[in-house]
Amino acid sequence: MKPAPFAFLRPATLEEALAALAGEPGAKVLAGGQSLVPLLSMRLAAPSMLIDINALPDLGHVTPDATGVRVGALARHAHVLASAEAAEVQPLLALALSHVAHPTIRNRGTTVGSLVHADAAAEMPMVLRLLEGSVDVESVRGRRTVPAGELFAGPLESTLAHDEIAVEAFFPALPAGAGVAFQEIARRHGDYALVGVAALVETDGGEVTRARLGYVSVSDVPVVVDVTDALDDPAAAALAELEPADDIHATAAYRAHLVKVLTPRVLADAVHHARQRSAQKDEKDMA
Amino acid sequence: MTTKLFGTKVPRVEDQRFLRGQGRYVDDLLTDDPRLLHAAVLRSPHAHARITDIDVSGVLDLDGVVAVWTFDDLTGPMAEPLPLLIPHPALTHGRTQYALAKDEVNYVGEAIAFVVAVDRYVAEDAVARIRVDYEQLEPVVGIAAARAAARLVHDDVPGNVGARMEQENGDARAAIADAPHTLTLELDVERSACTPMEGRGTVARWDPDTSRLTVWSSTQTSTGVRGCVAAKLGLDLAKVDVITPDVGGGFGVKINHPWPEELLVPLAAMTLGRPVKFTEDRREHFISSAHERAQVHHVEVGFDDDGRVLGLNVEFWHDHGAYTPYGLIVPIITSTQLLGPYKPQNYRVVFESLYTNTVIVTPYRGAGRPQGCFVMERTMDAIAAYLGKDRTEVRSTNFIQPDEFPYEHGLVFQDGRPLTYDSGDYPASLAKLKELVGWDEFEDFRAEMAAQGRRVGIGLACYVEGTGVGPYEGAHVHVETSGKVKVATGLTTQGQGHQTAFAQIVADTLGVRFEDVEITTGDTRKMPYAVGTFASRAAVMSGSAIHLAALRAREKALRIAAEALEAAEDDLEIVDGVVSVKGTDASIDLGTVAVLSNPLRYAFDEASKAATQFSVGDPGKAPVAEDDEPGLEGKDFYSPERSTFANGMHAVIVETDPDTAEITILKYAVVHDCGHLINPMIVEGQIHGGVAQGVGGALYERMAYDESGQLLNASFMDFLMPYVTEVPTTIDIDHLETPSPLNPLGIKGAGEAGVIPSAAVFAAAIEDAEGFPITAMPISPSELFDLRLAHADNSFAG
């Protein structure tokens, strides 16, 4: 379990990192390393060069404002999870992050790294997609913004070009009258979920005007289903778009069953959350 | 009088070192030696294949590679198969692998080539460059395929049957035929593994100046490794030292020896004249060490209206993997220990031990007992369900009673001795367990939970464990002139707290301060006669030997001190390392007694000045009497007639989620009887660890082999060893102390106890919660969900 030989570069500037990446087709970017390093050790990945971005300046930020939360490429999960302001602006971040692996992994792993690793069993890619967020990427060719809906190409595959580095993710704020919820079932605490479900609902006067659900571990890519018009049986609507599969931990049928169990629970939680927030806002307005 | 330490919760002196990261494991050794080389192994990617060619030409020109071995490079005993450690007449078709595969590989992970390089990175690069041509053969995976025998693992082993063994006491089949009631059960247990924190590892250094080989290995038997290394490398035993440094857990897997690497590392060190290290990585541990537990059982039982078993007939099939280096120990233990605390009037057991193209099977903590307990306890629960009786009542009806000891089962145990229980009080244990878990109040709790829409169940399981298996262990106790006491025993330590527990015994027996006692284990230079640490035997075997050796040192100390103090031996006592005449001020330090015990010619310090031949002894007598030896030492061996049988009972309350089928542990209770407790804290630690491992085996862990023989979960990401979050936060423990009459301390082993009843007790509790039979373990929520569907369908059909 030792990696195959690779060149190692720890650039001091983003420009240097982007130039190196553009010049080395076999290079991989190292941030938190929580997925990449095991892949290297098991020789499932053998990049010619590792470009370690941990020395780059100005990428460790977690910046909440009224529009949402901006998370830099070097912000650790633990940092994002610990931000009360971020949780205030977008509560789903903390709800989901507390399910990401274990504290020691969250101390090192980066949220942006998890997004571009594009694992459909990971929480944050689904969260980004559900919230209709985006990722800013840079390359020697310039900067562009990739909407979450265009980020995930396939299993463990993002749409980023080889020479691009994701520098920041944007998670939109939770609008007034909206609520979120998250639940997952895993074999052990901190494991990848057998099934995870998040909900984002918008309400007006207590009535649901929009309801969307995001799913973890029941498809090849993070899937979001709009169930606004299927509130009587949202799980059935979701299952029509999901592809639960067998693996050594659970059968496809069990995963489908968990979708049916969790979907109404999470949806109800989110509606409750939305109404709670509306009530609090009303109280505040009255005061 | 000093406080007696035996029986008290002395904190483990080892833990300071371990918890501060100051342990010294095999991988920590010789790290500063610039000449140290590192080994990596090419392992078979196929479960069953013929090797038609191996091309290593691309390897040696890689910078940093020093040497490479394949089977063709091995000579003499190294080119013979590895030893079959424990032969048995029933093992008619025993097979062992070669240190490096010869012509054929029989499991994914089997060693094919051994590369030595300047570091492990380069060694792995080199391994990747070796080209092997395989002719693939159809693999045999799982017990069903092994029994079907449509394909053979070894061409010369018909039916894939390595052994068939039968034992019978009475006439079980006739008794069942005549019984008022009969039941038949099919019971399965899957594979798991020990998964110690530290994998295997070996370092060897050949000293050309002294022609001496030193081997450090992460093993449960340094004397065993020493014997194998000497025999395989053609060395005189006197030229080989094997030392066991700190070992990061064993749980059984490290009793098997010699591993291919345990021979190849010393071979390479001798050949190359440089020290060589092999440190197993986690994937290697999964695919090239050992597993255990997979067995399929068919049970027929006949019983009367009270649930009394009249006849029990058990047939089972044991998957022993590709080879049988450790013989039949695991299935023999299942076949005998299955009986637990019960006395079936007539018992027959037959097993077949089968080859499959998977990793070898050697004992894993519990060693066949968890399966046996599962079979017996599931049978007891089935009888209770059939008769509509309380499960504890049926067990009570079948218990061996306290006045029936020693109880002979009429069977032969794993040590070749009659299966005879020495002591126990099962009714008392059961009474304690019912109290501890709240057995009689459970129906109220169930109703209370049901009112909240929650589903709970309770289960219990009883076991008896043969511990302290022979043949012997020894100990040497040496009191230095400083008064410090150096103790050596030959078996090894893998974290059990031997320094603490053994020092407690020495402190009490010899009358010295606990802090002055230093214990050395697993070092063949200090104690070349030893067996090893397995079968919950260290406390019983080495603890007893240490006690006996300390008694000898004490006798000698009293004899010398009596002479020095001009007092009768009977009037002396030894407290905190000082011998004194009771009730007087006359005293002498044990260190001074040690000075007196060893007449010297040369003076090198104050103590030795006092001991020169001119200052001690009677000039009219020999300095060392004819029947005496110099030095204040004691040496003795303990070799019991037979094993001592500990017992215990576990109960668990689980909650099963009606929607998600998740299984949650609400309460776990243990009543444990291992005779006199040396250190209750250590015993409880062993129980906690065992229960944690048992939770893993019952609810999480399995070896997921696919039909081609690939292990799909050979990492801690997919092999679900429970985290601390999955283990009960509290385990309620109560002790019963029924002493063993077989050893001077009245102790019994405790190391495996916690894990034995897990599969049985969880199956019972889940069955109680769900209302349908649980016959296969481990069980996951996904499987429980499937069972619910199947039983729902049945109920519709019915």
Side-chain angles (χ1 to χ4, degrees), chain B residues 206-282:
Chain B
W206 171 253
D207 183 347
D209 297 332
T210 58
S211 299
R212 212 174 167 81
L213 180 70
T214 306
V215 180
W216 294 263
S217 200
S218 185
T219 181
Q220 292 175 227
T221 172
S222 48
T223 46
V225 172
R226 183 190 190 207
C228 289
V229 167
K232 282 290 191 180
L233 300 188
L235 293 168
D236 292 345
L237 197 62
K239 293 288 184 193
V240 181
D241 300 318
V242 175
I243 302 166
T244 311
D246 286 329
V247 172
F251 310 110
V253 66
K254 294 173 183 173
I255 192 60
N256 189 54
H257 65 281
W259 297 100
E261 299 86 352
E262 260 171 340
L263 301 173
L264 293 162
V265 165
L267 173 70
M270 285 183 70
T271 307
L272 303 173
R274 291 175 67 174
V276 176
K277 178 184 286 184
F278 166 74
T279 303
E280 183 185 61
D281 67 32
R282 187 53 59 183

Side-chain angles (χ1 to χ4, degrees), chain A residues 111-228:
Chain A
T111 301
V112 172
S114 173
L115 295 175
V116 295
H117 188 55
D119 191 339
E123 289 81 0
M124 298 318 286
M126 179 275 284
V127 166
L128 188 80
R129 186 125 200 232
L130 179 66
L131 298 177
E132 300 174 295
S134 60
V135 169
D136 276 16
V137 303
E138 292 235 27
S139 71
V140 288
R141 296 171 289 129
R143 185 172 179 124
R144 68 184 181 112
T145 298
V146 185
E150 295 167 19
L151 184 60
F152 306 108
L156 299 173
E157 193 189 346
S158 79
T159 55
L160 266 58
H162 169 263
D163 64 349
E164 289 178 319
I165 295 178
V167 292
E168 187 182 83
F170 174 66
F171 296 93
L174 189 60
V180 288
F182 184 87
Q183 284 189 35
E184 71 173 39
I185 288 179
R187 285 294 276 120
R188 299 173 298 184
H189 288 75
D191 279 353
Y192 284 118
L194 295 176
V195 172
V197 185
L200 170 60
V201 298
E202 292 166 29
T203 61
D204 187 3
E207 292 310 302
V208 176
T209 54
R210 192 180 182 217
R212 294 163 69 250
L213 299 166
Y215 288 86
V216 172
S217 293
V218 268
S219 53
D220 282 347
V221 292
V223 168
V224 169
V225 185
D226 192 318
V227 294
T228 312

